[in-house]
Amino acid sequence: MRFNLETAKPKLRIPDIYENLPNQRAFARLLETCDCCNEAEEVLSAIRALDSHAIKGLGPAVANLLYFIHPTLVSPFNTAIVKGFNAVTRSNVKLGRWDHYLTMRQSILAFNAAHRSLLSNDLGAAAGFLFDVGSERYPLPPMADDAASHDAWRKDLEAVRAQSASQAKQLEASRQEDATHTQIQGWLRDLGHSLGYKVWIASNDRSRPYADGKLADGCLAQLPPSLSIAGAETVPLIDIIWLQDDGSVVAAFEVEHSTSIYSGIVRLLDLALGSTDTIQRHLYLVAPDSREADVRSQLARPAFLRIAELGIKYIRYSALKENRENIARFGSGMKPIEAIAVRL
């Protein structure tokens, strides 16, 4: 058989995936999330997150992959199934649209529940029936136009779209928060290296993308044994730790962009009270200027009476942004960091 590669080339390549690293990662996150979760809402959230990227050539056919991971939550999807679904429900589902697919999925779940004695909880059974109808193996009896059913489907579609739009806004806000948090961590990472320290990145943030690489690039792969503090499993989650060559802690930073300030303080306390290192003057909460009141109110809690002894300080985003380049160029030791920190 002769095969013209040049003619077939556009059909063999999906540029939005093969030539777009963010889209590749978005697809990978979908698969990883769905492989690790068990709840329907988690799967739907992952689907909507992927849909927000509008990746060409990667539409609801991906549901076939997700079906093998969650056969009771996700229905298979192809042309015959859609055709059969539209015939049975008098709907107008179209291929290549996640909102249409999610609306169809809701109806298939309801259909599956209504005929549970005939079908399996595996949605492949219902999808197989729809496939046979769509392939005209089981022709349906004549049915008059049912405006009520079509209106109900349209309402379901609008509800799915509204939910997707709401979640898209939440995802964008979350992305912005994550990006800012990572940027501040990156600034502190680079400052630590400029000042000659070894740097630890929080274990749950190490793989975050930053500056054409990963946040943990050039940083410690593991904490020194001296920081394996019994009962203080939170220490590896501290956003940034600066250390001397001998493994002793110089400074620790908790970046509190929008998360609970309380949890950040607890992590710093675990490090300070559980370690034999003398780091009392170099513990910092790094937060937006607008959160200073929140930082002060948390440090004033009765539970944190020893905070004054430990000397935890606050660094405003604006102070770090304005001074970081000069500190990296001309600074040495902790003196320049102490100069921009505020004791509360």
Side-chain angles (χ1 to χ4, degrees):
M1 177 184 294
R2 294 174 179 261
F3 186 77
N4 189 324
L5 182 59
E6 290 302 317
T7 302
K9 185 177 180 181
K11 297 181 179 181
L12 294 176
R13 299 171 71 242
I14 307 175
D16 266 17
I17 284 293
Y18 293 124
E19 298 175 3
N20 189 310
L21 186 58
N23 286 348
Q24 292 173 22
R25 288 173 172 161
F27 183 39
R29 281 195 295 271
L30 168 82
L31 297 178
E32 181 182 28
T33 299
C34 291
D35 189 42
C36 297
C37 71
N38 296 307
E39 300 298 328
E41 190 53 42
E42 293 175 299
V43 174
L44 295 179
S45 294
I47 288 174
R48 295 185 184 109
L50 180 69
D51 188 28
S52 69
H53 289 267
I55 303 174
K56 294 179 182 178
L58 197 67
V62 173
N64 294 324
L65 296 177
L66 303 186
Y67 164 71
F68 288 104
I69 301 174
H70 293 291
T72 63
L73 302 178
V74 179
S75 167
F77 184 88
N78 62 24
T79 302
I81 293 172
V82 170
K83 185 177 179 181
F85 176 82
N86 287 336
V88 170
T89 63
R90 313 304 277 181
S91 299
N92 190 27
V93 169
K94 297 178 181 178
L95 290 166
R97 295 280 299 274
W98 275 112
D99 54 352
H100 281 232
Y101 169 79
L102 293 177
T103 302
M104 184 183 78
R105 171 188 169 275
Q106 287 183 344
S107 295
I108 290 177
L109 286 170
F111 175 81
N112 202 66
H115 301 283
R116 187 65 182 82
S117 61
L118 300 174
L119 298 170
S120 166
N121 63 341
D122 184 322
L123 296 182
F129 164 73
L130 296 174
F131 178 89
D132 287 340
V133 172
S135 302
E136 299 183 354
R137 295 180 183 178
Y138 298 128
L140 295 175
M143 183 184 296
D145 288 341
D146 188 347
S149 295
H150 186 78
D151 288 344
W153 173 82
R154 177 62 61 180
K155 289 179 181 179
D156 286 344
L157 177 60
E158 292 304 322
V160 167
R161 285 175 171 170
Q163 188 176 15
S164 296
S166 175
Q167 184 161 19
K169 291 180 180 179
Q170 295 175 1
L171 284 168
E172 181 57 29
S174 178
R175 285 195 195 100
Q176 291 296 331
E177 291 176 2
D178 286 347
T180 302
H181 188 280
T182 300
Q183 183 181 57
I184 300 298
Q185 283 177 287
W187 289 353
L188 291 169
R189 178 199 73 177
D190 296 342
L191 265 182
H193 287 151
S194 296
L195 295 173
Y197 301 123
K198 295 185 180 299
V199 178
W200 167 259
I201 299 291
S203 56
N204 57 332
D205 293 333
R206 297 179 57 79
S207 62
R208 286 182 178 273
Y210 180 75
D212 297 325
K214 293 183 178 180
L215 191 58
D217 288 348
C219 297
L220 294 173
Q222 58 185 16
L223 283 171
S226 60
L227 294 183
S228 298
I229 304 168
E233 291 79 8
T234 61
V235 169
L237 299 176
I238 293 175
D239 285 320
I240 297 284
I241 301 176
W242 293 352
L243 303 99
Q244 298 280 15
D245 290 340
D246 62 4
S248 60
V249 173
V250 177
F253 304 83
E254 269 294 310
V255 181
E256 305 299 345
H257 183 71
S258 62
T259 52
S260 168
I261 294 171
Y262 176 90
S263 60
I265 296 173
V266 170
R267 285 192 284 270
L268 292 178
L269 285 175
D270 281 345
L271 174 64
L273 299 177
S275 172
T276 58
D277 290 336
T278 304
I279 57 170
Q280 296 172 326
R281 294 186 298 107
H282 303 313
L283 302 175
Y284 305 97
L285 292 169
V286 186
D289 299 32
S290 60
R291 297 200 78 189
E292 181 169 349
D294 294 337
V295 173
R296 289 183 181 276
S297 65
Q298 287 296 322
L299 291 177
R301 293 171 64 121
F304 299 142
L305 288 176
R306 291 200 60 189
I307 288 296
E309 300 174 25
L310 296 172
I312 293 180
K313 296 182 180 180
Y314 165 53
I315 298 178
R316 301 183 181 93
Y317 276 11
S318 61
L320 185 61
K321 181 178 181 180
E322 292 168 9
N323 295 283
R324 64 187 182 88
E325 291 184 358
N326 286 333
I327 293 174
R329 185 178 302 175
F330 306 113
S332 63
M334 292 302 300
K335 186 175 180 179
I337 303 298
E338 286 285 289
I340 65 172
V342 177
R343 190 180 185 99
L344 303 178

